[in-house]
Amino acid sequence: GFSFFIIFAALLIVAMLFNLGVDARATEIGTLLALGFPARKARNRFLAEGFIVATGGALLGVVLGVGYGRAMLWALTTIWLPAVGSPLLFLHVQPATIAGGLLLTVVVVMVTIFVALRRLRKLPVTRLLSAVTRPEQGLRHPSRARWVAPIGLGVGIGLIALAVATGQATNPGLAFASGAALLVGGLASFARWNAGRRATVRSSRGAALRMALRSAGWNPGRSLLSVTLVASACFVIATVASNTRDPRHDEGIVEAGAGGYRLLAQSDVPLHQDLNSPAGRFDLGFADDDSAALASVPILQLRSVPGDDTSCLNLYQPQRPRLLGVPAAMVQAGGFHFAASLADSYDIENPWELLEVDLGPEIIPVIGDVNSMQWILKLALGNELILADERGESVRLRLVGTLRESVFQSEMLMSEEQLLRHFPSRSGFSFFLIGATAESAAAVSTAMEATLGRFGFDVVSSAQRIADFLAVQNTYLSTFQALGGLGLLLGTFGLGVVLLRNVIERRGELATLRAVGFPRRALSRMVLAENALMLTVGVVIGTGSALLAITPRLLLGDLSLPWQTLGIALVAVLVVGMGASLGAVSLTSRIPLLPALKGER
């Protein structure tokens, strides 16, 4: 989905550059038509040129694409290694895939060029001979913007309301669809405003701003294209930034994903003593001071059944998931954030109590992390996974609830009673949730590992464990940030080309303004204001669409925006975009006065 925005931006650049090429050769086209050449032959001539360029660009793109793939794999085996956990990755290139991509690229580019050339049929020969190719007034199809704008905005707002009403705030499909609809609606609204810009110009203050607003309508299609490029890039950048999570700097994630337990531990050898009792700590060999310090630290002890890691850190398809037995105390305490559950179906308020529901013989209710269940085990609510218990009998694990961004991404949870019933040999505890405070976490971790190290007891922070799981998500988001940077590069390039072309076409107007007394500095400010207008509109539409799309998650409290990161990214967009106008400003100051007034090329 994110790649689509970059492909779309690239096709817009292709269409714009080809249209600019046609504009530059308008007199040549008009002469051919005046001499009797059919418009179809003139169009086919440009299509042939476009085919040569498209094929050459596609061939170059194949080479760059393979190189980009190799670079991504290098990153995944080095700087992004936590996302895959294995350096044993290599690039596999299939000739059929390369050929298919090459052919599809050429076809898509040729269709884009064909659509861009359709306007030649509607331009009279006299306008072509005069090298005038822009629309006479407003947009060619302003009526489309009138109904596209409300439909796009309405669909986007409707999908956001649907996500809130149905509890699907974390549904990525709804978020992406609502953001895309709002983006289309916002761009159509700008097109509609640009078509009726005269009323806005009269109410504006400042000569430079008024002239910039009018200049934005010099060629409405180009202005809309420039805004679309910038908005698409900002949409990707803002969406990626808003979904990047770092539990080490977000206490809310730890509270939701670890139930408030700041530490967790696992032991290779199960412990049969109770860590919450002085007698149990004495039997395990804790010093008196350490035992006294641990007396005020609640420790939740869980039995486990070994199995395959079901988290996204496992590159292989798990066949038998790890199992954890949830004690009655944990069921009653509740906590953690559920992504979804069948609690309403059983008239239960606490979703953890679903683990104690009797679903029938040999059917065990289980709870798992939503990401692990959906993407690794391919299970939805109500689905079942069949495995053999300790006696070799088949049992059916039915998914009744899913947790969001939890510490249990590697395991499936069932009641302790069910685990002991089907796996009676698992009498000891090997998974621990430790409720240490921020001040005591380091001391508690050191004391427990020093005393219980002989059992293979390893303590980690809950934030670090969740961060390890989120490393995959954040890594892929980093690749999307690279795509957003590419989109920003395309948008900046397109904006610069549009400004330069507009300045070239309006050199007579600019020369006249200079002749009647406007200083060069005022004209430079006008060009900068024009660029700032389109850049700001693009940033507002793209960023606003992305932020509105994640509103359901913000209302749910599931998401905290990294305002600093997002702000830095958007400031970078504005700085780079304004830098693109320097070429146009430089050209404005160097326009020769007399030739421009004469209309000479």
Side-chain angles (χ1 to χ4, degrees), residues 160 164 169 174-176 178-179 182 235 238-243 543-563 566:
I160 292 174
V164 173
L174 283 177
F176 193 82
S178 60
L182 291 171
F235 180 80
T239 303
V240 169
S242 63
N243 283 278
T543 306
S545 300
L547 295 181
L548 286 174
I550 62 172
T551 299
R553 295 185 66 181
L554 292 174
L555 295 176
L556 188 65
D558 176 60
L559 193 64
S560 58
L561 282 176
W563 293 109
L566 181 58

Side-chain angles (χ1 to χ4, degrees), residues 78-157:
T78 53
I79 58 177
W80 290 336
L81 183 60
V84 293
S86 171
L88 304 178
L89 298 177
F90 60 92
L91 183 66
H92 179 65
V93 180
Q94 291 183 316
T97 303
I98 296 296
L102 178 69
L103 178 62
L104 187 60
T105 299
V106 174
V107 170
V108 171
V109 171
M110 291 306 297
V111 170
T112 302
I113 292 174
F114 179 82
V115 172
L117 288 172
R118 286 190 307 170
R119 66 191 182 100
L120 285 177
R121 297 179 304 172
K122 302 179 181 180
L123 291 174
V125 175
T126 53
R127 290 177 62 83
L128 290 171
L129 289 172
S130 302
V132 178
T133 58
R134 66 185 182 91
E136 293 186 12
Q137 183 178 1
L139 294 170
R140 286 179 293 165
H141 301 288
S143 59
R144 293 181 183 177
R146 294 192 184 99
W147 57 265
V148 171
I151 289 178
L153 296 175
V155 169
I157 295 174

